[in-house]
PDB file of all heavy atoms in Angstrom:
ATOM      1  N   PHE A 310       6.299  -2.181  15.951  1.00 97.00           N
ATOM      2  CA  PHE A 310       5.587  -1.322  16.896  1.00 97.00           C
ATOM      3  C   PHE A 310       4.761  -0.365  16.092  1.00 97.00           C
ATOM      4  O   PHE A 310       5.233   0.358  15.178  1.00 97.00           O
ATOM      5  CB  PHE A 310       6.645  -0.543  17.742  1.00 97.00           C
ATOM      6  CG  PHE A 310       7.304  -1.338  18.834  1.00 97.00           C
ATOM      7  CD1 PHE A 310       8.557  -1.904  18.707  1.00 97.00           C
ATOM      8  CD2 PHE A 310       6.511  -1.677  19.993  1.00 97.00           C
ATOM      9  CE1 PHE A 310       9.126  -2.591  19.732  1.00 97.00           C
ATOM     10  CE2 PHE A 310       7.103  -2.438  20.999  1.00 97.00           C
ATOM     11  CZ  PHE A 310       8.390  -2.857  20.876  1.00 97.00           C
ATOM     12  N   VAL A 311       3.482  -0.247  16.473  1.00 96.00           N
ATOM     13  CA  VAL A 311       2.498   0.537  15.759  1.00 96.00           C
ATOM     14  C   VAL A 311       1.970   1.613  16.701  1.00 96.00           C
ATOM     15  O   VAL A 311       1.668   1.391  17.843  1.00 96.00           O
ATOM     16  CB  VAL A 311       1.340  -0.284  15.213  1.00 96.00           C
ATOM     17  CG1 VAL A 311       0.281   0.570  14.535  1.00 96.00           C
ATOM     18  CG2 VAL A 311       1.857  -1.309  14.190  1.00 96.00           C
ATOM     19  N   LEU A 312       1.898   2.901  16.153  1.00 95.00           N
ATOM     20  CA  LEU A 312       1.462   3.996  16.969  1.00 95.00           C
ATOM     21  C   LEU A 312       0.004   3.763  17.457  1.00 95.00           C
ATOM     22  O   LEU A 312      -0.917   3.646  16.711  1.00 95.00           O
ATOM     23  CB  LEU A 312       1.494   5.265  16.147  1.00 95.00           C
ATOM     24  CG  LEU A 312       1.157   6.580  16.842  1.00 95.00           C
ATOM     25  CD1 LEU A 312       2.181   6.853  17.995  1.00 95.00           C
ATOM     26  CD2 LEU A 312       1.133   7.782  15.873  1.00 95.00           C
ATOM     27  N   SER A 313      -0.128   3.618  18.822  1.00 95.00           N
ATOM     28  CA  SER A 313      -1.425   3.326  19.427  1.00 95.00           C
ATOM     29  C   SER A 313      -1.888   4.388  20.381  1.00 95.00           C
ATOM     30  O   SER A 313      -3.081   4.522  20.704  1.00 95.00           O
ATOM     31  CB  SER A 313      -1.368   1.980  20.086  1.00 95.00           C
ATOM     32  OG  SER A 313      -0.318   1.979  21.056  1.00 95.00           O
ATOM     33  N   HIS A 314      -0.946   5.184  20.906  1.00 95.00           N
ATOM     34  CA  HIS A 314      -1.254   6.210  21.908  1.00 95.00           C
ATOM     35  C   HIS A 314      -0.529   7.524  21.480  1.00 95.00           C
ATOM     36  O   HIS A 314       0.449   7.910  22.013  1.00 95.00           O
ATOM     37  CB  HIS A 314      -0.790   5.764  23.272  1.00 95.00           C
ATOM     38  CG  HIS A 314      -1.478   4.620  23.837  1.00 95.00           C
ATOM     39  ND1 HIS A 314      -1.139   3.283  23.478  1.00 95.00           N
ATOM     40  CD2 HIS A 314      -2.449   4.426  24.741  1.00 95.00           C
ATOM     41  CE1 HIS A 314      -1.901   2.457  24.095  1.00 95.00           C
ATOM     42  NE2 HIS A 314      -2.752   3.110  24.898  1.00 95.00           N
ATOM     43  N   PRO A 315      -1.131   8.222  20.474  1.00 92.00           N
ATOM     44  CA  PRO A 315      -0.549   9.470  20.045  1.00 92.00           C
ATOM     45  C   PRO A 315      -0.773  10.571  21.046  1.00 92.00           C
ATOM     46  O   PRO A 315      -1.825  10.727  21.615  1.00 92.00           O
ATOM     47  CB  PRO A 315      -1.294   9.763  18.760  1.00 92.00           C
ATOM     48  CG  PRO A 315      -2.592   9.067  18.870  1.00 92.00           C
ATOM     49  CD  PRO A 315      -2.355   7.873  19.687  1.00 92.00           C
ATOM     50  N   ASN A 316       0.339  11.367  21.283  1.00 92.00           N
ATOM     51  CA  ASN A 316       0.277  12.522  22.105  1.00 92.00           C
ATOM     52  C   ASN A 316      -0.400  12.244  23.484  1.00 92.00           C
ATOM     53  O   ASN A 316      -1.433  12.824  23.747  1.00 92.00           O
ATOM     54  CB  ASN A 316      -0.489  13.599  21.391  1.00 92.00           C
ATOM     55  CG  ASN A 316      -0.295  15.034  22.057  1.00 92.00           C
ATOM     56  OD1 ASN A 316       0.705  15.201  22.710  1.00 92.00           O
ATOM     57  ND2 ASN A 316      -1.249  15.876  21.892  1.00 92.00           N
ATOM     58  N   ILE A 317       0.191  11.391  24.250  1.00 96.00           N
ATOM     59  CA  ILE A 317      -0.308  11.036  25.501  1.00 96.00           C
ATOM     60  C   ILE A 317      -0.401  12.283  26.492  1.00 96.00           C
ATOM     61  O   ILE A 317       0.546  12.995  26.557  1.00 96.00           O
ATOM     62  CB  ILE A 317       0.515   9.993  26.175  1.00 96.00           C
ATOM     63  CG1 ILE A 317       0.529   8.622  25.388  1.00 96.00           C
ATOM     64  CG2 ILE A 317       0.056   9.668  27.637  1.00 96.00           C
ATOM     65  CD1 ILE A 317       1.477   7.552  25.879  1.00 96.00           C
ATOM     66  N   LYS A 318      -1.550  12.410  27.084  1.00 97.00           N
ATOM     67  CA  LYS A 318      -1.695  13.514  28.064  1.00 97.00           C
ATOM     68  C   LYS A 318      -2.228  12.975  29.390  1.00 97.00           C
ATOM     69  O   LYS A 318      -3.321  12.385  29.399  1.00 97.00           O
ATOM     70  CB  LYS A 318      -2.735  14.544  27.525  1.00 97.00           C
ATOM     71  CG  LYS A 318      -2.212  15.452  26.435  1.00 97.00           C
ATOM     72  CD  LYS A 318      -1.083  16.347  26.913  1.00 97.00           C
ATOM     73  CE  LYS A 318      -0.676  17.317  25.912  1.00 97.00           C
ATOM     74  NZ  LYS A 318       0.420  18.186  26.354  1.00 97.00           N
ATOM     75  N   ILE A 319      -1.432  13.077  30.421  1.00 98.00           N
ATOM     76  CA  ILE A 319      -1.891  12.532  31.714  1.00 98.00           C
ATOM     77  C   ILE A 319      -2.903  13.474  32.329  1.00 98.00           C
ATOM     78  O   ILE A 319      -2.788  14.732  32.215  1.00 98.00           O
ATOM     79  CB  ILE A 319      -0.626  12.442  32.650  1.00 98.00           C
ATOM     80  CG1 ILE A 319      -1.073  11.862  34.012  1.00 98.00           C
ATOM     81  CG2 ILE A 319       0.081  13.816  32.896  1.00 98.00           C
ATOM     82  CD1 ILE A 319       0.120  11.520  34.973  1.00 98.00           C
ATOM     83  N   PRO A 320      -4.005  12.933  32.883  1.00 97.00           N
ATOM     84  CA  PRO A 320      -5.044  13.821  33.587  1.00 97.00           C
ATOM     85  C   PRO A 320      -4.376  14.737  34.610  1.00 97.00           C
ATOM     86  O   PRO A 320      -3.436  14.246  35.335  1.00 97.00           O
ATOM     87  CB  PRO A 320      -5.949  12.828  34.181  1.00 97.00           C
ATOM     88  CG  PRO A 320      -5.837  11.602  33.364  1.00 97.00           C
ATOM     89  CD  PRO A 320      -4.409  11.531  32.942  1.00 97.00           C
ATOM     90  N   GLU A 321      -4.810  15.905  34.743  1.00 96.00           N
ATOM     91  CA  GLU A 321      -4.182  16.904  35.702  1.00 96.00           C
ATOM     92  C   GLU A 321      -4.491  16.596  37.158  1.00 96.00           C
ATOM     93  O   GLU A 321      -3.735  16.917  38.025  1.00 96.00           O
ATOM     94  CB  GLU A 321      -4.639  18.344  35.393  1.00 96.00           C
ATOM     95  CG  GLU A 321      -4.063  18.815  34.027  1.00 96.00           C
ATOM     96  CD  GLU A 321      -4.379  20.309  33.865  1.00 96.00           C
ATOM     97  OE1 GLU A 321      -5.111  20.880  34.691  1.00 96.00           O
ATOM     98  OE2 GLU A 321      -3.858  20.879  32.878  1.00 96.00           O
ATOM     99  N   THR A 322      -5.620  15.885  37.383  1.00 95.00           N
ATOM    100  CA  THR A 322      -5.944  15.447  38.744  1.00 95.00           C
ATOM    101  C   THR A 322      -6.383  13.980  38.707  1.00 95.00           C
ATOM    102  O   THR A 322      -6.925  13.525  37.738  1.00 95.00           O
ATOM    103  CB  THR A 322      -7.139  16.285  39.278  1.00 95.00           C
ATOM    104  OG1 THR A 322      -6.774  17.700  39.264  1.00 95.00           O
ATOM    105  CG2 THR A 322      -7.483  15.939  40.731  1.00 95.00           C
ATOM    106  N   SER A 323      -6.129  13.333  39.800  1.00 95.00           N
ATOM    107  CA  SER A 323      -6.361  11.878  39.821  1.00 95.00           C
ATOM    108  C   SER A 323      -6.982  11.374  41.105  1.00 95.00           C
ATOM    109  O   SER A 323      -7.268  12.189  41.971  1.00 95.00           O
ATOM    110  CB  SER A 323      -5.046  11.150  39.527  1.00 95.00           C
ATOM    111  OG  SER A 323      -4.185  11.294  40.732  1.00 95.00           O
ATOM    112  N   GLN A 324      -7.082  10.017  41.214  1.00 95.00           N
ATOM    113  CA  GLN A 324      -7.552   9.419  42.440  1.00 95.00           C
ATOM    114  C   GLN A 324      -6.753   8.177  42.776  1.00 95.00           C
ATOM    115  O   GLN A 324      -7.229   7.307  43.479  1.00 95.00           O
ATOM    116  CB  GLN A 324      -9.016   9.053  42.278  1.00 95.00           C
ATOM    117  CG  GLN A 324      -9.991  10.203  42.096  1.00 95.00           C
ATOM    118  CD  GLN A 324     -11.394   9.755  41.808  1.00 95.00           C
ATOM    119  OE1 GLN A 324     -11.761   9.452  40.681  1.00 95.00           O
ATOM    120  NE2 GLN A 324     -12.195   9.671  42.898  1.00 95.00           N
ATOM    121  N   ILE A 325      -5.550   8.086  42.213  1.00 97.00           N
ATOM    122  CA  ILE A 325      -4.706   6.891  42.407  1.00 97.00           C
ATOM    123  C   ILE A 325      -3.337   7.208  42.972  1.00 97.00           C
ATOM    124  O   ILE A 325      -2.643   8.175  42.434  1.00 97.00           O
ATOM    125  CB  ILE A 325      -4.568   6.139  41.094  1.00 97.00           C
ATOM    126  CG1 ILE A 325      -5.892   5.749  40.475  1.00 97.00           C
ATOM    127  CG2 ILE A 325      -3.708   4.937  41.262  1.00 97.00           C
ATOM    128  CD1 ILE A 325      -5.861   5.210  39.066  1.00 97.00           C
ATOM    129  N   ILE A 326      -2.914   6.518  44.022  1.00 97.00           N
ATOM    130  CA  ILE A 326      -1.577   6.645  44.480  1.00 97.00           C
ATOM    131  C   ILE A 326      -0.839   5.301  44.235  1.00 97.00           C
ATOM    132  O   ILE A 326      -1.429   4.235  44.274  1.00 97.00           O
ATOM    133  CB  ILE A 326      -1.518   7.020  45.971  1.00 97.00           C
ATOM    134  CG1 ILE A 326      -2.348   6.074  46.839  1.00 97.00           C
ATOM    135  CG2 ILE A 326      -1.918   8.438  46.220  1.00 97.00           C
ATOM    136  CD1 ILE A 326      -2.162   6.311  48.334  1.00 97.00           C
ATOM    137  N   SER A 327       0.497   5.419  43.977  1.00 97.00           N
ATOM    138  CA  SER A 327       1.243   4.190  43.700  1.00 97.00           C
ATOM    139  C   SER A 327       2.555   4.300  44.445  1.00 97.00           C
ATOM    140  O   SER A 327       3.560   4.792  43.916  1.00 97.00           O
ATOM    141  CB  SER A 327       1.470   4.121  42.144  1.00 97.00           C
ATOM    142  OG  SER A 327       2.121   2.914  41.824  1.00 97.00           O
ATOM    143  N   PHE A 328       2.533   3.878  45.726  1.00 97.00           N
ATOM    144  CA  PHE A 328       3.690   3.896  46.594  1.00 97.00           C
ATOM    145  C   PHE A 328       3.834   2.548  47.260  1.00 97.00           C
ATOM    146  O   PHE A 328       2.854   1.832  47.389  1.00 97.00           O
ATOM    147  CB  PHE A 328       3.535   5.000  47.709  1.00 97.00           C
ATOM    148  CG  PHE A 328       3.529   6.394  47.277  1.00 97.00           C
ATOM    149  CD1 PHE A 328       2.321   7.013  46.862  1.00 97.00           C
ATOM    150  CD2 PHE A 328       4.723   7.127  47.252  1.00 97.00           C
ATOM    151  CE1 PHE A 328       2.315   8.303  46.424  1.00 97.00           C
ATOM    152  CE2 PHE A 328       4.682   8.459  46.886  1.00 97.00           C
ATOM    153  CZ  PHE A 328       3.491   9.089  46.435  1.00 97.00           C
ATOM    154  N   ASN A 329       5.001   2.280  47.830  1.00 95.00           N
ATOM    155  CA  ASN A 329       5.162   1.187  48.756  1.00 95.00           C
ATOM    156  C   ASN A 329       4.697   1.685  50.145  1.00 95.00           C
ATOM    157  O   ASN A 329       5.515   2.279  50.899  1.00 95.00           O
ATOM    158  CB  ASN A 329       6.586   0.654  48.800  1.00 95.00           C
ATOM    159  CG  ASN A 329       6.767  -0.496  49.723  1.00 95.00           C
ATOM    160  OD1 ASN A 329       5.854  -0.860  50.470  1.00 95.00           O
ATOM    161  ND2 ASN A 329       7.962  -1.072  49.725  1.00 95.00           N
ATOM    162  N   GLU A 330       3.437   1.594  50.469  1.00 95.00           N
ATOM    163  CA  GLU A 330       2.886   2.187  51.690  1.00 95.00           C
ATOM    164  C   GLU A 330       3.372   1.546  52.959  1.00 95.00           C
ATOM    165  O   GLU A 330       3.079   2.060  53.984  1.00 95.00           O
ATOM    166  CB  GLU A 330       1.378   2.191  51.595  1.00 95.00           C
ATOM    167  CG  GLU A 330       0.829   3.071  50.415  1.00 95.00           C
ATOM    168  CD  GLU A 330      -0.623   3.124  50.339  1.00 95.00           C
ATOM    169  OE1 GLU A 330      -1.298   3.547  51.280  1.00 95.00           O
ATOM    170  OE2 GLU A 330      -1.142   2.717  49.293  1.00 95.00           O
ATOM    171  N   ALA A 331       4.052   0.436  52.832  1.00 94.00           N
ATOM    172  CA  ALA A 331       4.621  -0.206  54.066  1.00 94.00           C
ATOM    173  C   ALA A 331       5.728   0.685  54.687  1.00 94.00           C
ATOM    174  O   ALA A 331       6.010   0.582  55.822  1.00 94.00           O
ATOM    175  CB  ALA A 331       5.236  -1.604  53.688  1.00 94.00           C
ATOM    176  N   ASN A 332       6.181   1.644  53.863  1.00 94.00           N
ATOM    177  CA  ASN A 332       7.286   2.531  54.334  1.00 94.00           C
ATOM    178  C   ASN A 332       6.681   3.875  54.789  1.00 94.00           C
ATOM    179  O   ASN A 332       7.478   4.764  55.150  1.00 94.00           O
ATOM    180  CB  ASN A 332       8.319   2.801  53.261  1.00 94.00           C
ATOM    181  CG  ASN A 332       9.060   1.532  52.873  1.00 94.00           C
ATOM    182  OD1 ASN A 332       9.260   0.653  53.653  1.00 94.00           O
ATOM    183  ND2 ASN A 332       9.448   1.520  51.573  1.00 94.00           N
ATOM    184  N   THR A 333       5.380   4.022  54.820  1.00 95.00           N
ATOM    185  CA  THR A 333       4.813   5.365  55.140  1.00 95.00           C
ATOM    186  C   THR A 333       5.356   5.881  56.490  1.00 95.00           C
ATOM    187  O   THR A 333       5.606   7.122  56.541  1.00 95.00           O
ATOM    188  CB  THR A 333       3.262   5.178  55.246  1.00 95.00           C
ATOM    189  OG1 THR A 333       2.752   4.667  54.049  1.00 95.00           O
ATOM    190  CG2 THR A 333       2.632   6.553  55.597  1.00 95.00           C
ATOM    191  N   TYR A 334       5.439   5.107  57.483  1.00 95.00           N
ATOM    192  CA  TYR A 334       5.942   5.594  58.766  1.00 95.00           C
ATOM    193  C   TYR A 334       7.340   6.191  58.717  1.00 95.00           C
ATOM    194  O   TYR A 334       7.732   6.933  59.659  1.00 95.00           O
ATOM    195  CB  TYR A 334       5.906   4.485  59.833  1.00 95.00           C
ATOM    196  CG  TYR A 334       6.921   3.349  59.716  1.00 95.00           C
ATOM    197  CD1 TYR A 334       8.064   3.446  60.481  1.00 95.00           C
ATOM    198  CD2 TYR A 334       6.791   2.422  58.774  1.00 95.00           C
ATOM    199  CE1 TYR A 334       9.040   2.419  60.351  1.00 95.00           C
ATOM    200  CE2 TYR A 334       7.803   1.398  58.592  1.00 95.00           C
ATOM    201  CZ  TYR A 334       8.870   1.434  59.402  1.00 95.00           C
ATOM    202  OH  TYR A 334       9.876   0.507  59.293  1.00 95.00           O
ATOM    203  N   MET A 335       8.118   5.858  57.743  1.00 96.00           N
ATOM    204  CA  MET A 335       9.491   6.366  57.587  1.00 96.00           C
ATOM    205  C   MET A 335       9.575   7.608  56.696  1.00 96.00           C
ATOM    206  O   MET A 335      10.635   8.179  56.518  1.00 96.00           O
ATOM    207  CB  MET A 335      10.413   5.312  57.063  1.00 96.00           C
ATOM    208  CG  MET A 335      10.575   4.106  57.989  1.00 96.00           C
ATOM    209  SD  MET A 335      11.889   3.008  57.471  1.00 96.00           S
ATOM    210  CE  MET A 335      11.190   2.285  55.975  1.00 96.00           C
ATOM    211  N   TRP A 336       8.471   8.032  56.037  1.00 96.00           N
ATOM    212  CA  TRP A 336       8.512   9.145  55.109  1.00 96.00           C
ATOM    213  C   TRP A 336       8.664  10.510  55.824  1.00 96.00           C
ATOM    214  O   TRP A 336       8.416  10.626  57.028  1.00 96.00           O
ATOM    215  CB  TRP A 336       7.167   9.213  54.311  1.00 96.00           C
ATOM    216  CG  TRP A 336       7.010   8.086  53.359  1.00 96.00           C
ATOM    217  CD1 TRP A 336       7.921   7.147  52.985  1.00 96.00           C
ATOM    218  CD2 TRP A 336       5.774   7.782  52.653  1.00 96.00           C
ATOM    219  NE1 TRP A 336       7.356   6.311  52.059  1.00 96.00           N
ATOM    220  CE2 TRP A 336       6.012   6.679  51.837  1.00 96.00           C
ATOM    221  CE3 TRP A 336       4.533   8.350  52.598  1.00 96.00           C
ATOM    222  CZ2 TRP A 336       5.047   6.129  51.035  1.00 96.00           C
ATOM    223  CZ3 TRP A 336       3.570   7.815  51.800  1.00 96.00           C
ATOM    224  CH2 TRP A 336       3.828   6.681  51.031  1.00 96.00           C
ATOM    225  N   ASP A 337       9.032  11.525  54.969  1.00 95.00           N
ATOM    226  CA  ASP A 337       9.023  12.944  55.503  1.00 95.00           C
ATOM    227  C   ASP A 337       7.599  13.310  55.898  1.00 95.00           C
ATOM    228  O   ASP A 337       6.621  12.859  55.289  1.00 95.00           O
ATOM    229  CB  ASP A 337       9.522  13.851  54.407  1.00 95.00           C
ATOM    230  CG  ASP A 337      10.944  13.592  54.029  1.00 95.00           C
ATOM    231  OD1 ASP A 337      11.714  13.016  54.838  1.00 95.00           O
ATOM    232  OD2 ASP A 337      11.341  13.987  52.868  1.00 95.00           O
TER     233      ASP A 337
END
Side-chain angles (χ1 to χ4, degrees):
F310 282 105
V311 177
L312 186 62
S313 56
H314 296 78
N316 194 26
I317 296 172
K318 285 294 186 183
I319 182 173
E321 292 189 354
T322 302
S323 70
Q324 295 175 275
I325 302 173
I326 54 174
S327 186
F328 293 86
N329 182 353
E330 294 180 62
N332 295 330
T333 302
Y334 72 99
M335 295 189 292
W336 291 350
D337 296 337

